[in-house]
Short mmCIF file of all heavy atoms in Angstrom, two decimals:
data_model
loop_
_atom_site.label_atom_id
_atom_site.label_comp_id
_atom_site.label_asym_id
_atom_site.label_seq_id
_atom_site.Cartn_x
_atom_site.Cartn_y
_atom_site.Cartn_z
N PRO R 68 9.00 12.29 -21.17
CA PRO R 68 9.46 12.82 -19.85
C PRO R 68 8.74 12.10 -18.74
O PRO R 68 7.84 11.31 -18.87
CB PRO R 68 8.91 14.25 -19.98
CG PRO R 68 7.79 14.07 -20.90
CD PRO R 68 8.04 13.01 -21.82
N ILE R 69 9.30 12.29 -17.42
CA ILE R 69 8.61 11.80 -16.23
C ILE R 69 7.39 12.69 -16.04
O ILE R 69 7.32 13.81 -16.20
CB ILE R 69 9.62 11.86 -15.04
CG1 ILE R 69 10.82 10.97 -15.21
CG2 ILE R 69 8.92 11.60 -13.84
CD1 ILE R 69 10.51 9.60 -15.21
N HIS R 70 6.10 11.95 -15.59
CA HIS R 70 5.00 12.48 -15.54
C HIS R 70 4.62 12.42 -14.02
O HIS R 70 4.64 11.42 -13.30
CB HIS R 70 3.91 11.88 -16.26
CG HIS R 70 4.09 12.25 -17.79
ND1 HIS R 70 4.71 11.36 -18.65
CD2 HIS R 70 3.61 13.24 -18.63
CE1 HIS R 70 4.64 11.78 -19.86
NE2 HIS R 70 4.05 12.86 -19.87
N SER R 71 3.87 13.50 -13.63
CA SER R 71 3.03 13.50 -12.27
C SER R 71 1.72 13.44 -12.61
O SER R 71 1.25 13.54 -13.80
CB SER R 71 3.37 14.76 -11.52
OG SER R 71 2.82 15.90 -12.16
N TYR R 72 0.74 13.19 -11.64
CA TYR R 72 -0.63 13.08 -11.85
C TYR R 72 -1.19 14.48 -12.42
O TYR R 72 -1.97 14.43 -13.23
CB TYR R 72 -1.29 12.75 -10.61
CG TYR R 72 -2.85 12.64 -10.80
CD1 TYR R 72 -3.43 11.60 -11.49
CD2 TYR R 72 -3.63 13.66 -10.70
CE1 TYR R 72 -4.82 11.39 -11.73
CE2 TYR R 72 -5.09 13.60 -10.81
CZ TYR R 72 -5.52 12.47 -11.36
OH TYR R 72 -6.91 12.39 -11.80
N GLU R 73 -0.69 15.56 -11.86
CA GLU R 73 -1.01 16.86 -12.34
C GLU R 73 -0.90 17.05 -13.80
O GLU R 73 -1.72 17.77 -14.41
CB GLU R 73 -0.41 17.97 -11.49
CG GLU R 73 -0.86 18.14 -9.99
CD GLU R 73 -0.44 16.88 -9.19
OE1 GLU R 73 0.61 16.17 -9.57
OE2 GLU R 73 -1.16 16.55 -8.14
N GLU R 74 0.19 16.57 -14.25
CA GLU R 74 0.52 16.64 -15.71
C GLU R 74 -0.40 15.84 -16.54
O GLU R 74 -0.70 16.02 -17.72
CB GLU R 74 2.09 16.35 -16.02
CG GLU R 74 2.90 17.43 -15.47
CD GLU R 74 4.30 16.95 -15.26
OE1 GLU R 74 4.53 15.78 -14.96
OE2 GLU R 74 5.31 17.69 -15.53
N TYR R 75 -0.78 14.52 -15.99
CA TYR R 75 -1.70 13.68 -16.73
C TYR R 75 -3.11 13.98 -16.65
O TYR R 75 -4.00 13.56 -17.37
CB TYR R 75 -1.45 12.33 -16.00
CG TYR R 75 -0.69 11.37 -17.02
CD1 TYR R 75 0.43 10.69 -16.60
CD2 TYR R 75 -1.25 10.97 -18.10
CE1 TYR R 75 1.10 9.80 -17.44
CE2 TYR R 75 -0.69 9.97 -19.04
CZ TYR R 75 0.48 9.45 -18.55
OH TYR R 75 1.21 8.64 -19.34
N GLU R 76 -3.48 14.81 -15.50
CA GLU R 76 -4.89 15.01 -15.27
C GLU R 76 -5.80 15.53 -16.54
O GLU R 76 -6.91 14.92 -16.63
CB GLU R 76 -5.06 16.05 -14.21
CG GLU R 76 -6.46 16.23 -13.73
CD GLU R 76 -6.56 17.22 -12.56
OE1 GLU R 76 -5.79 18.08 -12.48
OE2 GLU R 76 -7.54 17.07 -11.73
N PRO R 77 -5.25 16.41 -17.23
CA PRO R 77 -6.23 16.89 -18.46
C PRO R 77 -6.49 15.78 -19.43
O PRO R 77 -7.69 15.57 -19.92
CB PRO R 77 -5.26 17.88 -19.21
CG PRO R 77 -4.54 18.50 -18.05
CD PRO R 77 -4.17 17.41 -17.22
N SER R 78 -5.59 14.81 -19.66
CA SER R 78 -5.87 13.74 -20.54
C SER R 78 -6.67 12.76 -19.88
O SER R 78 -7.58 12.04 -20.57
CB SER R 78 -4.57 13.02 -20.93
OG SER R 78 -3.66 13.90 -21.64
N ILE R 79 -6.61 12.57 -18.56
CA ILE R 79 -7.42 11.59 -17.87
C ILE R 79 -8.78 12.08 -17.79
O ILE R 79 -9.88 11.35 -18.08
CB ILE R 79 -6.77 11.41 -16.35
CG1 ILE R 79 -5.60 10.48 -16.45
CG2 ILE R 79 -7.90 10.81 -15.60
CD1 ILE R 79 -4.90 10.36 -15.11
N GLU R 80 -9.00 13.47 -17.56
CA GLU R 80 -10.42 14.03 -17.59
C GLU R 80 -11.10 13.79 -18.93
O GLU R 80 -12.22 13.52 -18.96
CB GLU R 80 -10.28 15.49 -17.28
CG GLU R 80 -10.18 15.85 -15.62
CD GLU R 80 -11.30 15.11 -14.87
OE1 GLU R 80 -12.36 15.29 -15.13
OE2 GLU R 80 -10.94 14.14 -14.06
N ARG R 81 -10.28 13.99 -19.95
CA ARG R 81 -10.92 13.79 -21.41
C ARG R 81 -11.36 12.29 -21.60
O ARG R 81 -12.41 12.02 -21.99
CB ARG R 81 -9.90 14.07 -22.45
CG ARG R 81 -9.65 15.61 -22.65
CD ARG R 81 -8.39 15.77 -23.48
NE ARG R 81 -8.60 15.14 -24.75
CZ ARG R 81 -7.54 14.80 -25.55
NH1 ARG R 81 -6.28 15.02 -25.08
NH2 ARG R 81 -7.58 14.26 -26.58
N SER R 82 -10.48 11.35 -20.99
CA SER R 82 -10.85 9.96 -21.06
C SER R 82 -12.04 9.53 -20.23
O SER R 82 -12.83 8.82 -20.68
CB SER R 82 -9.56 9.04 -20.56
OG SER R 82 -9.71 7.71 -20.70
N ARG R 83 -12.15 10.20 -19.04
CA ARG R 83 -13.26 10.01 -18.13
C ARG R 83 -14.57 10.42 -18.87
O ARG R 83 -15.62 9.90 -18.53
CB ARG R 83 -13.15 10.68 -16.77
CG ARG R 83 -12.12 10.20 -15.91
CD ARG R 83 -12.08 10.88 -14.65
NE ARG R 83 -13.28 10.71 -13.88
CZ ARG R 83 -13.82 11.56 -13.02
NH1 ARG R 83 -13.30 12.63 -12.87
NH2 ARG R 83 -14.98 11.30 -12.34
N LYS R 84 -14.43 11.46 -19.75
CA LYS R 84 -15.69 12.05 -20.44
C LYS R 84 -15.96 11.14 -21.72
O LYS R 84 -16.83 11.61 -22.44
CB LYS R 84 -15.52 13.48 -20.67
CG LYS R 84 -15.48 14.29 -19.56
CD LYS R 84 -15.19 15.76 -19.80
CE LYS R 84 -15.08 16.52 -18.38
NZ LYS R 84 -14.78 17.98 -18.61
N GLY R 85 -15.19 10.06 -21.98
CA GLY R 85 -15.53 9.28 -23.09
C GLY R 85 -14.61 9.23 -24.27
O GLY R 85 -14.88 8.40 -25.17
N GLU R 86 -13.61 10.03 -24.25
CA GLU R 86 -12.60 10.01 -25.39
C GLU R 86 -11.82 8.85 -25.29
O GLU R 86 -11.39 8.46 -24.16
CB GLU R 86 -11.67 11.31 -25.40
CG GLU R 86 -12.47 12.55 -25.83
CD GLU R 86 -11.49 13.78 -26.04
OE1 GLU R 86 -10.51 13.50 -26.84
OE2 GLU R 86 -11.64 14.79 -25.48
N ASN R 87 -11.41 8.15 -26.50
CA ASN R 87 -10.68 7.04 -26.42
C ASN R 87 -9.35 7.26 -27.19
O ASN R 87 -9.13 8.32 -27.83
CB ASN R 87 -11.37 5.89 -27.19
CG ASN R 87 -12.68 5.37 -26.31
OD1 ASN R 87 -12.49 5.35 -25.15
ND2 ASN R 87 -13.62 5.10 -27.08
N ASN R 88 -8.36 6.28 -27.11
CA ASN R 88 -7.21 6.28 -27.69
C ASN R 88 -6.22 7.54 -27.44
O ASN R 88 -5.56 7.97 -28.22
CB ASN R 88 -7.31 6.20 -29.33
CG ASN R 88 -6.20 5.62 -30.05
OD1 ASN R 88 -5.69 4.61 -29.56
ND2 ASN R 88 -5.86 6.07 -31.20
N ILE R 89 -6.39 8.02 -26.18
CA ILE R 89 -5.53 9.11 -25.86
C ILE R 89 -4.09 8.60 -25.31
O ILE R 89 -3.08 8.91 -25.90
CB ILE R 89 -6.17 9.77 -24.67
CG1 ILE R 89 -7.55 10.53 -25.16
CG2 ILE R 89 -5.18 11.00 -24.12
CD1 ILE R 89 -8.33 11.18 -24.12
N PHE R 90 -4.05 7.74 -24.31
CA PHE R 90 -2.84 7.17 -23.78
C PHE R 90 -2.87 5.60 -23.87
O PHE R 90 -1.80 4.98 -23.54
CB PHE R 90 -2.56 7.58 -22.35
CG PHE R 90 -3.82 7.67 -21.49
CD1 PHE R 90 -4.41 6.51 -20.99
CD2 PHE R 90 -4.36 8.93 -21.19
CE1 PHE R 90 -5.46 6.64 -20.15
CE2 PHE R 90 -5.49 8.92 -20.45
CZ PHE R 90 -6.11 7.79 -19.85
N TRP R 91 -3.97 4.94 -24.23
CA TRP R 91 -3.92 3.48 -24.42
C TRP R 91 -5.04 3.28 -25.46
O TRP R 91 -6.08 3.82 -25.58
CB TRP R 91 -4.39 2.79 -23.08
CG TRP R 91 -4.14 1.41 -23.04
CD1 TRP R 91 -4.90 0.23 -23.01
CD2 TRP R 91 -2.78 0.73 -23.23
NE1 TRP R 91 -4.37 -0.86 -23.02
CE2 TRP R 91 -2.94 -0.67 -23.13
CE3 TRP R 91 -1.53 1.26 -23.32
CZ2 TRP R 91 -1.94 -1.64 -23.28
CZ3 TRP R 91 -0.38 0.23 -23.41
CH2 TRP R 91 -0.71 -1.01 -23.34
N PRO R 92 -4.71 2.26 -26.42
CA PRO R 92 -5.67 2.01 -27.56
C PRO R 92 -6.93 1.53 -27.29
O PRO R 92 -7.95 1.75 -27.91
CB PRO R 92 -4.75 1.04 -28.45
CG PRO R 92 -3.89 0.32 -27.52
CD PRO R 92 -3.60 1.35 -26.41
N THR R 93 -7.18 0.70 -26.15
CA THR R 93 -8.50 0.20 -25.93
C THR R 93 -9.26 1.09 -24.99
O THR R 93 -8.61 1.89 -24.21
CB THR R 93 -8.36 -1.23 -25.17
OG1 THR R 93 -7.60 -1.11 -23.97
CG2 THR R 93 -7.68 -2.20 -26.12
N PRO R 94 -10.58 1.20 -25.06
CA PRO R 94 -11.41 2.02 -24.24
C PRO R 94 -11.10 1.85 -22.83
O PRO R 94 -11.01 0.71 -22.29
CB PRO R 94 -12.81 1.72 -24.59
CG PRO R 94 -12.73 1.11 -25.96
CD PRO R 94 -11.47 0.34 -26.03
N ILE R 95 -10.95 2.86 -22.08
CA ILE R 95 -10.85 2.93 -20.58
C ILE R 95 -12.31 3.12 -19.97
O ILE R 95 -12.81 4.37 -20.04
CB ILE R 95 -9.72 4.00 -19.94
CG1 ILE R 95 -8.53 3.96 -20.80
CG2 ILE R 95 -9.66 3.81 -18.65
CD1 ILE R 95 -7.69 2.57 -20.61
N LYS R 96 -12.83 2.09 -19.34
CA LYS R 96 -14.08 2.20 -18.84
C LYS R 96 -14.16 2.48 -17.24
O LYS R 96 -15.16 2.91 -16.62
CB LYS R 96 -14.94 1.01 -19.09
CG LYS R 96 -15.10 0.68 -20.59
CD LYS R 96 -15.83 -0.61 -20.89
CE LYS R 96 -14.82 -1.74 -20.70
NZ LYS R 96 -15.48 -3.05 -21.21
N TRP R 97 -12.98 2.14 -16.63
CA TRP R 97 -12.83 2.28 -15.15
C TRP R 97 -11.69 3.17 -14.77
O TRP R 97 -10.65 3.27 -15.33
CB TRP R 97 -12.63 0.83 -14.62
CG TRP R 97 -13.81 0.10 -14.78
CD1 TRP R 97 -14.21 -0.87 -15.64
CD2 TRP R 97 -14.97 0.05 -13.83
NE1 TRP R 97 -15.30 -1.49 -15.44
CE2 TRP R 97 -15.82 -0.93 -14.22
CE3 TRP R 97 -15.23 0.52 -12.66
CZ2 TRP R 97 -17.09 -1.31 -13.58
CZ3 TRP R 97 -16.40 0.32 -11.93
CH2 TRP R 97 -17.39 -0.61 -12.42
N PHE R 98 -12.02 3.91 -13.62
CA PHE R 98 -10.87 4.77 -12.94
C PHE R 98 -11.04 4.61 -11.51
O PHE R 98 -12.00 4.53 -10.92
CB PHE R 98 -11.33 6.25 -13.43
CG PHE R 98 -11.15 6.44 -14.86
CD1 PHE R 98 -12.26 6.30 -15.76
CD2 PHE R 98 -9.94 7.05 -15.35
CE1 PHE R 98 -12.21 6.59 -17.05
CE2 PHE R 98 -9.85 7.37 -16.66
CZ PHE R 98 -10.97 7.16 -17.59
N ALA R 99 -9.81 4.17 -10.99
CA ALA R 99 -9.71 3.89 -9.56
C ALA R 99 -9.54 5.29 -8.85
O ALA R 99 -8.58 6.11 -9.17
CB ALA R 99 -8.47 3.06 -9.29
N LYS R 100 -10.40 5.64 -8.00
CA LYS R 100 -10.48 6.92 -7.25
C LYS R 100 -9.51 6.74 -6.08
O LYS R 100 -9.59 5.87 -5.25
CB LYS R 100 -11.80 7.24 -6.82
CG LYS R 100 -11.96 8.54 -6.15
CD LYS R 100 -13.37 8.88 -5.65
CE LYS R 100 -13.41 10.26 -4.87
NZ LYS R 100 -14.81 10.47 -4.43
N SER R 101 -8.50 7.67 -6.05
CA SER R 101 -7.50 7.69 -5.00
C SER R 101 -7.27 9.00 -4.53
O SER R 101 -6.73 9.89 -5.15
CB SER R 101 -6.23 6.91 -5.48
OG SER R 101 -5.30 7.14 -4.46
N SER R 102 -7.78 9.30 -3.24
CA SER R 102 -7.64 10.61 -2.69
C SER R 102 -6.22 10.77 -2.15
O SER R 102 -5.74 11.99 -1.90
CB SER R 102 -8.66 10.89 -1.66
OG SER R 102 -8.52 10.03 -0.58
N GLY R 103 -5.57 9.65 -1.92
CA GLY R 103 -4.15 9.63 -1.33
C GLY R 103 -4.29 10.36 0.08
O GLY R 103 -5.32 10.42 0.71
N THR R 104 -3.13 10.62 0.72
CA THR R 104 -3.11 11.29 1.95
C THR R 104 -2.28 12.50 1.87
O THR R 104 -1.94 13.19 2.94
CB THR R 104 -2.50 10.25 2.97
OG1 THR R 104 -1.29 9.79 2.37
CG2 THR R 104 -3.39 9.15 3.23
N THR R 105 -1.82 12.97 0.72
CA THR R 105 -1.12 14.25 0.58
C THR R 105 -1.80 15.31 0.06
O THR R 105 -1.40 16.49 0.10
CB THR R 105 0.11 13.92 -0.28
OG1 THR R 105 -0.31 13.57 -1.59
CG2 THR R 105 1.05 12.96 0.30
N ASN R 106 -2.97 14.97 -0.52
CA ASN R 106 -3.78 16.00 -1.09
C ASN R 106 -5.33 15.69 -1.10
O ASN R 106 -5.59 14.49 -1.32
CB ASN R 106 -3.37 16.09 -2.72
CG ASN R 106 -3.87 17.39 -3.39
OD1 ASN R 106 -5.00 17.85 -3.11
ND2 ASN R 106 -3.11 17.91 -4.24
N ALA R 107 -6.05 16.69 -0.77
CA ALA R 107 -7.48 16.45 -0.63
C ALA R 107 -8.23 16.16 -1.80
O ALA R 107 -9.31 15.52 -1.93
CB ALA R 107 -8.10 17.63 0.21
#
Side-chain angles (χ1 to χ4, degrees):
I69 298 292
H70 290 92
S71 65
Y72 181 80
E73 288 71 25
E74 292 164 321
Y75 251 118
E76 185 179 26
S78 295
I79 288 175
E80 282 304 302
R81 288 168 53 202
S82 182
R83 287 184 66 210
K84 293 175 181 176
E86 285 192 53
N87 294 320
N88 207 40
I89 299 172
F90 38 75
W91 195 246
T93 59
I95 307 291
K96 295 175 288 188
W97 289 93
F98 295 83
K100 183 180 178 183
S101 173
S102 61
T104 49
T105 59
N106 194 322

